Amino acid sequence: MRVRIVHDTIYRYDRPVRALVQALRLTPRDHDGQHVLRWRIEPSADGRLTPREDSLGNIVHMFSADHALDEITMRVSGEVETADTSGILQGSVERVPDPFYLRETELTAADEAMRAFAVSASGDMSADPLGCLHRLLESIHRQTAFDTDTTHVATTAREAFAQRSGVCQDLTHVFIACARHLGIPARYVSGYFFRADGVVEQDAGHAWAEAKVPNLGWVGFDAANGISTGEAHVRVAIGLDYLGAAPIRGTRQGGGSENMDVKLRVERGRPPRQMQLQVQA
Amino acid sequence: MLSRTADNLYWLSRYTERADFVARILDATMRLAALPASYGGERNEWEGAVAAAGNLDEFKRLYSAVNEDTVRDFLAFSPNNPSSIANAIEVARENARAVRTALTTEMWEAINGAWLELKGFNGAEMNREEFARFLEWVKNVSLSFDGSAYRTMLRNDAYWFTRLGLAIERADNTARILDVKYHVLLPQTERVGGSLDYFQWTTILREVSALTAYHWVYRQSVKPWLVADLLILNRQMPRSLANCYELLVRHLDLVADAYGRRGPSQRLASAMQARLSGTKIDGIFALGMHEFITDFVSENNKLGAAIAEQYLV
Amino acid sequence: MGRAAFDEMTGRPNGQAAEGVRSAYAALKEWLETCPPDFFDTRRSQAELFFRRIGITFAVYGDNQSTERLIPFDIIPRVLTKPEWELLERGLKQRVTALNAFLGDLYGAQECIKAGVVPADLVYRNPHYRLEMLGCPPPHGVYVHIAGIDVVRVDEDTFYVLEDNARTPSGVSYMLENREVMMRLFPELFAQHRVAPVENYPDALLKTLRSVAPLTATRDPTVVLLTPGRFNSAFYEHSFLADKLGVELVEASDLFAKDDVVFMRTTEGPKRVDVIYRRIDDDFIDPLVFRPDSVLGVPGLMAAYQAGNVTLANAVGTGICDDKAVYTYMPAIVRFFTGEEPILNNVPTWCCREKEALSYVLDRLPELVVKEVNGSGGYGMLVGPHATKRELDEFARKLKHDPDGFIAQPTLSLSTCPTFVASGVAPRHVDLRPFVLTGADEIRIVPGGLTRVALKEGSLVVNSSQGGGTKDTWVLDG
C-alpha cells in the first residue's frame, strides 16, 4: 500500500524564543515491509538542519533556529510503500544486541501487579512464545480503555496499568514492561497508522511495540489496536521507551509558556499519474 | 569573565542602591506627612511615594487604602513587592552568594551581615521612631557595601560592572522622582513660589540627599527650576542624571577598551551624555519637563537592555 | 563481628594490650603520649574554626535539621610507609589502566564480552552503559580521567579495593584542606616526619585535563569546571577546585552548543570551551539525549562530544565501572586487559545474581555486609552483625525479590587508627580514597588520599553522610 503522510507539529510561544534546539526522529528508513518513496522535513524557520544516526540506527535531525521566533511549524511529508509481513520485521537497521532491549527504564518499569499480570496473561513462555505474546497483547488491549485525557507524555507504564487506561504510548509501555519481565527483549516504535475507516485527519502519530520472539525475530505488536503490525503501519523510530523514540525533543531559552498543536494527515497515496504526451492540437 | 558573574555583580549593585533609594523616599515622605495640614498641599504624599519607589497598580492590588501603614509595609517589608527594601536586600544577597569568590571579604560581609540582621526587624510592630532607625540602618547598609566595593575591589571588569549597575539604577531612581513630582517643578515664568510648595521641593532634595548641596551650589533660596537643574544637569551632583551618565560613559569605555570592542551600549550612553551636556534647563522646560523625563526613562531602560544584551547574557 | 581488626599504630589486633608500635607511628605515638590533653583540645577547636571559616561544608540528603554540616576532622594523621604506598600506587595504576581499557573495549570491539569475561546482559541492561558512546571514542581514548578508588586494609600486608568510583568522585578538597590545616597546627610534627606533599594535586589535575583536550582545540585549551550549582552538596569542592585550577566555574546556563562546538557566555562574547571537568551525572548533561527534564545540562553537548570537539572528564558512560555487580568481575577484567595478576585484590564478594551465591548469602546474612548494586554513600546497605532481626528479615525479602540488585561481602575487619573521641584516643576503623589522574600522557597520583574514619565505636561505615569523619593521610618519604 502506498501511504501518504503530512505531519505538522506547531509550537506557539508567549514570548519570542531564543536558542531553539530540537532533535527530530521523524525520518523512516527502509526495511522489507517498507520502502520510503519520498520524504522531507521542512522547518518553517531558518536554521541549521543536520542529519545523524543515533546509536539505535534511527535517523535524527538536529535543528537549531537561527533567529528568535514566536512560532514554528515542523512539517514532515512524504510517501511510503508498505507491505504486509504478518508483523515480522526483516531487513531493518539493527545496531545493538538484543539483551539491550531488556533494560528497564523509568517509563517501562514493571511493578508487582504488572509482573503477576504478565505471567498469568501470557501463559507458559517456553512452549509457544509468539502465542504467549499475542495473548498478552489481547489482554492489554481488552482491559485498557483508550482515553486521551487520563495520561500525559510522562505517564509511566505502572500508572497507566494501575488505572487501566491511556493512549497508544501507554499501552505500548505496558506491553514492553510485561514482555521484558518475561525475558523477551522489547522496544518502542513510533510511527504512523493508516486508518481503514476512512478517517484521514489524526490528532497524533502512532506507537506500538516490537518484541524479539525466539527463533522468529522482531515482531510488531500494536497494543492500541490489538493487532500485529501490517501494511497500515509506517515505522519511523525505535527506542527503549517513548523518550528514546520521541518524534521531537527540544529545548529552548525564553518563550514563556508553549502551546503545541499537531496536524496529521495519513491517507492512501495515489500511484503516479500517467504522463500524457502533449500533442499539437 | 563569565556573563553570569557580570550579571550577578551588576544586579547586586542595582539592588543595594535600590534599597537605599526606597529608604530615602520613605524618610522624606514621613517628614512631609508630618507637616501641619496648612503647609501640606494636596496631602497625597504616600501615594506619591508608592509611585516613585514602587508600582501603584501592584500596590492597589494588594491594599485597599493608601496610608502610612500600608505604604510602609509595601515599600519596606512586603515580600510581594519586588522592590521593597527587604526584597532588595534579599535579592542583592542572593546575587552576592552566587559570585561569592568574585567579591572581596568586606563586600560579602557587608551584604551578608545586612541580610542576617534584616531578619531581626519586625516591620509590623515598629513605631515611627523605630521605623526611622530602620531606614537609617538601610542607608548605612548601602553606604558600607558601596564603600567596601570602592575601597577593596580590583579595578577590573568586575568592578566596572558594579559601577554600571549602580549608575543605571541611580539614573532611574532620580528620574522616577522627577516624574512623580514634575508638576511642582515649574519654570520661573509660570510660578510664584509659595510656602506650600517649598516643602515639596525640599522633600525632593532630601530624597536625593541634596538639600545641603543645593545651597552650596546655588547660594540662594530653594527655587523649583534650580531643583530641576540640580537633579538633571548638574554634573557635580552625585545623583543627577548628568553625573550618572558620566559614570556610565566612563565605565563602559573602560570595558570597551579592555575587551577591544565597542557596541550599542557605548553608543547609547555617549549619545545621552552628549544630549545632557548640550541642554539648558530652560530648554527642557520649553520642550516640556514631563516629556523630557518620560523620554529619558525609556532611553535609560534601553541602555540597561543593551548592557544586558552585550555583556550579561 | 569476626576477628579483631589490625591496628595501624600498634600492629596488633585491637583489644590486645597495645604495647608495641609500628615504626612508622613511633614518633606520633610518643607525641600523643607526651602532649598534655588540653593541647589537643585547643588544636581541635582551632581546626574546627578553620574549617568553619572557609565554609567547607557538605549537604546531607533527607536531613531537614541541618542541611549544611561540617565533616568531623580528626587531628591524628593516618600514616603509610613508602613501601606500602609504592605497592598501592602500582596497584592503583594497574587498576585504572584496566578500567580505561575495559571501557574502551565495552564501547568498541567488545572483546571482553565475546571472551566471556563479563556477562553480556550485565553490560547491556545496565543503565550506566551508554549506547551513545558506542563507536565514539573520547579524545585520546581516556574515559576515566579522575578515579577515586576506595581501598581498605585488613592486615600488615593486605589491601583490598572496596569500590571503584569512576563517575565524579568527590572528597579531594578535604584531602587538600586537611593537609593545609595540619601544617598550620602542627609544624613541629611535620619537621619530625618527611611527609610527601599533596598540594600539587590541582596542578596535576590541570595538566591531566589539558592533556586530553580535543585535537581541534588550540594549543592553549580552555578548561572549565561544570557544577550543578550552589545547592549541590559538593558545591564547596567545585568552587574550591575551580579556584585552585584557575578555571571558570560554570553552570549549564553559562554554556551553549552551536554547530557541534561548545561555548561559554562571557562578557567578551562566546568563548570556545575545550575540556569540561564536569561534576554532573550523565543523566543530566544534555536534555536532548538524557533526562529531558534536566535544567542542569547543555542541549547539544552530546553531539559536540560525539563530534570530538569537546572533552568531558570523566567520559560519558563510565558509571558502569561503579556498578557493584561489575565490580565482582574486576579481577578477571584486570587480568584480561593487562595480562597481569591484580596487585590489589577485590574484597571477596558474592554476586547474588548467581544462584549458589544467593543461597550462601541468605544462609549467612547475619555475618555479611549486603550492598545494593546501584546504591552509593552507604545508603541501602545492610551490615549483618549490627542489624536487628527485623532488618535482616527485610533484607532477605529484598534479596529474594531482586537478587540481581545486590552483592554481599564478608564483614571485613577494616584496619583501625588512633582517633580522638569523647573518651580520649581510641582505635577507629578507616578506609582510604586515593585519587588517580589519567591523562593522554601519563597517570598521576599524589601520595595519599582521603582517609575516612568511622567515629562510632565498632562502626564500619565511614561515609560522611553516616557520621564518618576524615583524617590527613601521610605517606612517609623514606
Side-chain angles (χ1 to χ4, degrees):
Chain A
M1 177 166 62
R2 185 181 286 250
V3 185
R4 177 193 289 177
I5 293 150
V6 180
H7 177 196
D8 287 342
T9 312
I10 306 128
Y11 294 91
R12 293 186 187 88
Y13 306 102
D14 281 358
R15 278 173 280 138
V17 168
R18 294 184 296 140
L20 176 85
V21 189
Q22 294 184 329
L24 312 167
R25 283 179 175 77
L26 282 168
T27 308
R29 301 187 82 150
D30 285 1
H31 55 82
D32 287 2
Q34 169 170 313
H35 174 61
V36 182
L37 297 164
R38 57 177 185 85
W39 199 264
R40 48 188 289 124
I41 299 185
E42 281 173 283
S44 65
D46 292 344
R48 195 177 148 102
L49 187 69
T50 43
R52 295 209 165 88
E53 192 188 284
D54 74 9
S55 32
L56 299 183
N58 299 310
I59 293 174
V60 190
H61 286 83
M62 298 294 288
F63 174 73
S64 52
D66 287 342
H67 310 289
L69 31 92
D70 303 309
E71 179 178 326
I72 184 169
T73 300
M74 200 53 75
R75 161 167 290 194
V76 291
S77 58
E79 279 192 359
V80 177
E81 183 75 49
T82 60
D84 190 3
T85 58
S86 316
I88 298 169
L89 180 72
Q90 274 174 328
S92 58
V93 175
E94 298 296 338
R95 295 280 185 249
V96 296
D98 300 339
F100 170 72
Y101 294 104
L102 287 168
R103 190 190 286 186
E104 202 170 72
T105 66
E106 177 60 26
L107 291 175
T108 57
D111 59 12
E112 206 60 71
M114 291 173 77
R115 283 191 276 259
F117 165 79
V119 171
S120 72
S122 61
D124 180 14
M125 283 299 287
S126 55
D128 171 22
L130 182 63
C132 288
L133 289 167
H134 274 294
R135 280 194 290 280
L136 178 65
L137 180 76
E138 268 173 46
S139 297
I140 293 173
H141 177 65
R142 207 175 42 240
Q143 55 173 266
T144 315
F146 190 89
D147 187 336
T148 53
D149 294 330
T150 54
T151 56
H152 49 88
V153 285
T155 300
T156 64
R158 295 184 299 273
E159 291 159 356
F161 182 78
Q163 66 191 31
R164 298 289 197 276
S165 70
V167 296
C168 54
Q169 170 183 330
D170 305 301
L171 275 83
T172 302
H173 280 156
V174 172
F175 181 87
I176 291 170
C178 292
R180 286 184 189 154
H181 174 66
L182 299 170
I184 300 287
R187 64 195 182 192
Y188 188 98
V189 184
S190 76
Y192 300 103
F193 181 63
F194 171 81
R195 288 177 61 161
D197 59 4
V199 176
V200 170
E201 307 275 349
Q202 301 186 17
D203 298 330
H206 194 46
W208 58 93
E210 282 172 357
K212 183 77 185 254
V213 182
N215 305 320
L216 190 61
W218 287 102
V219 177
F221 293 90
D222 181 343
N225 294 307
I227 55 173
S228 291
T229 52
E231 61 174 359
H233 292 81
V234 175
R235 186 176 179 273
V236 178
I238 55 170
L240 282 176
D241 56 19
Y242 163 75
L243 266 182
I248 301 184
R249 279 177 75 166
T251 62
R252 61 196 166 96
Q253 253 186 46
S257 67
E258 157 191 300
N259 185 330
M260 192 194 79
D261 195 14
V262 172
K263 288 203 169 74
L264 172 63
R265 289 178 65 86
V266 182
E267 57 194 317
R268 198 180 277 275
R270 279 179 293 276
R273 221 177 328 148
Q274 288 293 312
M275 295 294 276
Q276 296 283 331
L277 286 175
Q278 294 204 342
V279 291
Q280 194 171 15
Chain B
M1 173 165 51
L2 278 181
S3 297
R4 176 170 50 87
T5 307
D7 188 58
N8 289 135
L9 289 167
Y10 173 86
W11 285 105
L12 164 59
S13 286
R14 282 198 75 154
Y15 274 102
T16 1
E17 182 66 19
R18 190 170 301 175
D20 175 76
F21 169 69
V22 177
R24 285 178 191 284
I25 294 277
L26 280 166
D27 194 26
T29 310
M30 277 175 59
R31 276 172 170 272
L32 192 57
L35 286 173
S38 53
Y39 291 81
E42 297 164 65
R43 312 301 301 179
N44 64 349
E45 309 77 23
W46 291 108
E47 190 163 323
V50 174
N55 179 325
L56 256 178
D57 294 341
E58 188 65 27
F59 178 87
K60 288 185 171 153
R61 210 173 50 75
L62 293 165
Y63 305 88
S64 50
V66 189
N67 57 41
E68 182 173 355
D69 287 345
T70 55
V71 172
R72 255 172 61 167
D73 181 63
F74 179 71
L75 290 184
F77 304 106
S78 171
N80 299 316
N81 170 13
S83 294
S84 72
I85 292 172
N87 243 340
I89 292 179
E90 175 83 36
V91 178
R93 193 263 183 181
E94 249 331 285
N95 277 288
R97 208 161 92 86
V99 289
R100 175 69 190 81
T101 47
L103 302 180
T104 62
T105 319
E106 289 82 356
M107 292 168 79
W108 167 248
E109 279 171 4
I111 192 66
N112 192 48
W115 177 78
L116 290 170
E117 252 180 277
L118 180 67
K119 300 187 185 315
F121 290 104
N122 182 348
E125 288 175 6
M126 273 182 203
N127 59 33
R128 284 205 180 87
E129 213 178 301
E130 288 163 334
F131 188 64
R133 273 205 299 278
F134 167 75
L135 296 177
E136 209 49 46
W137 173 81
V138 177
K139 288 187 243 168
N140 273 318
V141 166
S142 296
L143 268 182
S144 71
F145 175 78
D146 195 45
S148 59
Y150 180 75
R151 294 175 63 113
T152 59
M153 275 187 97
L154 285 175
R155 279 353 186 221
N156 58 14
D157 47 0
Y159 178 71
W160 302 331
F161 282 108
T162 67
R163 295 305 92 185
L164 292 176
L166 179 109
I168 282 269
E169 181 69 25
R170 253 188 198 178
D172 184 64
N173 293 342
T174 302
R176 280 167 154 274
I177 293 177
L178 288 166
D179 194 37
V180 173
K181 297 281 175 70
Y182 75 94
H183 58 279
V184 298
L185 297 175
L186 293 174
Q188 194 162 10
T189 49
E190 289 180 22
R191 191 85 191 183
V192 185
S195 65
L196 296 188
D197 283 346
Y198 172 85
F199 295 103
Q200 291 285 352
W201 305 328
T202 50
T203 301
I204 295 173
L205 290 172
R206 258 184 234 288
E207 285 170 343
V208 297
S209 63
L211 190 51
T212 319
Y214 177 91
H215 295 295
W216 278 105
V217 173
Y218 299 104
R219 298 193 179 276
Q220 54 173 302
S221 60
V222 180
K223 308 259 172 33
W225 55 91
L226 292 180
V227 172
D229 182 69
L230 182 70
L231 264 57
I232 297 171
L233 298 175
N234 192 301
R235 288 159 53 193
Q236 298 171 6
M237 170 63 207
R239 283 184 169 75
S240 75
L241 304 185
N243 184 263
C244 290
Y245 267 77
E246 271 198 14
L247 269 179
L248 285 165
V249 168
R250 187 180 332 138
H251 289 99
L252 281 167
D253 280 350
L254 285 167
V255 172
D257 290 350
Y259 296 166
R261 185 189 291 246
R262 301 178 70 81
S265 26
Q266 279 81 11
R267 283 197 296 280
L268 284 170
S270 36
M272 178 55 82
Q273 191 193 25
R275 229 172 106 186
L276 290 170
S277 67
T279 304
K280 291 245 158 42
I281 196 70
D282 303 348
I284 293 176
F285 283 127
L287 198 77
M289 169 89 140
H290 184 61
E291 288 71 20
F292 174 83
I293 292 300
T294 312
D295 185 50
F296 176 86
V297 168
S298 119
E299 287 298 309
N300 193 54
N301 286 341
K302 229 183 261 174
L303 175 60
I307 291 174
E309 186 62 34
Q310 201 173 332
Y311 299 112
L312 309 180
V313 293
Chain C
M1 211 171 109
R3 66 204 165 92
F6 173 77
D7 187 78
E8 296 193 7
M9 182 158 78
T10 64
R12 295 171 182 226
N14 275 301
Q16 296 190 11
E19 298 283 303
V21 62
R22 295 171 65 240
S23 61
Y25 275 87
L28 204 61
K29 186 159 191 264
E30 200 191 322
W31 176 72
L32 283 174
E33 283 162 0
T34 51
C35 287
D38 59 339
F39 168 80
F40 292 113
D41 285 342
T42 30
R43 290 298 180 274
R44 285 168 67 192
S45 38
Q46 281 169 353
E48 184 170 329
L49 196 67
F50 175 85
F51 285 121
R52 282 220 182 275
R53 225 182 23 233
I54 60 171
I56 184 165
T57 57
F58 74 106
V60 181
Y61 298 108
D63 182 350
N64 293 330
Q65 290 301 306
S66 56
T67 43
E68 294 262 307
R69 272 205 225 150
L70 218 55
I71 298 187
F73 171 68
D74 184 63
I75 59 172
I76 306 177
R78 191 252 187 106
V79 186
L80 294 167
T81 63
K82 192 169 188 185
E84 286 167 351
W85 175 251
E86 282 168 352
L87 172 83
L88 280 172
E89 195 178 28
R90 276 188 293 125
L92 292 167
K93 283 188 175 170
Q94 180 196 47
R95 189 153 181 123
V96 171
T97 305
L99 284 174
N100 272 305
F102 174 54
L103 287 163
D105 185 59
L106 281 186
Y107 294 116
Q110 306 187 336
E111 299 293 345
C112 66
I113 297 177
K114 291 174 200 154
V117 177
V118 287
D121 73 320
L122 184 61
V123 175
Y124 292 122
R125 296 180 70 168
N126 193 303
H128 297 295
Y129 181 70
R130 305 290 183 182
L131 284 187
E132 290 76 11
M133 294 299 290
L134 271 176
C136 216
H140 307 277
V142 181
Y143 288 83
V144 186
H145 309 83
I146 301 113
I149 310 290
D150 291 350
V151 175
V152 296
R153 180 176 202 173
V154 292
D155 59 37
E156 182 75 53
D157 307 310
T158 316
F159 291 89
Y160 286 129
V161 174
L162 191 62
E163 62 184 51
D164 303 288
N165 295 282
R167 275 181 286 183
T168 53
S170 63
V172 80
S173 58
Y174 295 97
M175 173 182 90
L176 295 167
E177 297 283 41
N178 288 355
R179 176 62 55 83
E180 189 61 33
V181 80
M182 286 295 284
M183 293 191 75
R184 282 193 201 192
L185 295 179
F186 306 111
E188 194 58 35
L189 264 190
F190 281 88
Q192 289 169 28
H193 296 81
R194 298 214 160 275
V195 181
V198 293
E199 67 193 34
N200 54 331
Y201 177 84
D203 189 61
L205 176 58
L206 188 61
K207 274 196 190 122
T208 300
L209 293 171
R210 289 172 65 103
S211 77
V212 292
L215 298 173
T216 54
T218 59
R219 262 192 300 174
D220 184 17
T222 302
V223 179
V224 299
L225 195 157
L226 175 61
T227 172
R230 59 185 189 279
F231 302 108
N232 184 269
S233 62
F235 182 71
Y236 172 79
E237 177 157 303
H238 306 160
S239 68
F240 172 88
L241 282 175
D243 255 12
K244 296 272 175 197
L245 294 169
V247 306
E248 290 289 356
L249 178 65
V250 301
E251 295 176 17
S253 60
D254 298 323
L255 299 180
F256 67 96
K258 191 169 166 55
D259 299 345
D260 289 348
V261 175
V262 179
F263 297 92
M264 65 175 154
R265 299 172 214 273
T266 80
T267 50
E268 293 177 74
K271 182 168 185 209
R272 184 181 159 155
V273 170
D274 302 301
V275 181
I276 303 177
Y277 174 23
R278 47 99 176 207
R279 298 291 297 257
I280 296 181
D281 280 345
D282 288 354
D283 268 336
F284 298 98
I285 60 169
D286 184 346
L288 285 180
V289 179
F290 303 112
R291 280 182 57 158
D293 54 342
S294 168
V295 291
L296 306 176
V298 183
L301 177 58
M302 258 326 266
Y305 185 49
Q306 286 168 323
N309 288 333
V310 67
T311 301
L312 293 176
N314 290 347
V316 170
T318 56
I320 185 141
C321 300
D322 294 18
D323 184 278
K324 293 190 176 67
V326 171
Y327 163 87
T328 61
Y329 297 91
M330 271 309 289
I333 290 169
V334 171
R335 270 180 225 112
F336 186 79
F337 287 104
T338 67
E340 304 163 0
E341 274 305 302
I343 299 167
L344 292 174
N345 254 306
N346 270 11
V347 175
T349 305
W350 292 275
C351 200
C352 302
R353 69 205 317 273
E354 289 161 14
K355 276 212 166 58
E356 308 89 83
L358 177 64
S359 66
Y360 178 92
V361 169
L362 286 171
D363 283 351
R364 289 175 176 72
L365 211 49
E367 304 160 22
L368 301 175
V369 176
V370 184
K371 295 176 180 175
E372 261 181 54
V373 168
N374 288 317
S376 73
Y379 293 99
M381 174 168 153
L382 173 87
V383 181
H386 293 240
T388 62
K389 176 84 174 65
R390 234 179 82 206
E391 286 166 337
L392 288 171
D393 291 347
E394 165 84 17
F395 251 78
R397 206 177 51 74
K398 280 198 201 170
L399 274 171
K400 282 181 221 159
H401 176 71
D402 178 24
D404 286 13
F406 295 91
I407 58 158
Q409 296 170 334
T411 316
L412 285 184
S413 33
L414 306 191
S415 60
T416 57
C417 279
T419 303
F420 269 108
V421 293
S423 58
V425 178
R428 289 291 180 269
H429 297 288
V430 294
D431 81 348
L432 176 67
R433 173 178 291 184
F435 296 89
V436 186
L437 302 173
T438 306
D441 45 355
E442 58 175 304
I443 298 180
R444 301 175 173 89
I445 314 179
V446 299
L450 178 67
T451 290
R452 298 186 297 179
V453 53
L455 294 171
K456 233 164 66 191
E457 185 171 6
S459 168
L460 294 166
V461 185
V462 296
N463 304 82
S464 51
S465 48
Q466 314 254 314
T470 68
K471 280 171 169 292
D472 191 14
T473 312
W474 290 8
V475 173
L476 300 185
D477 196 29

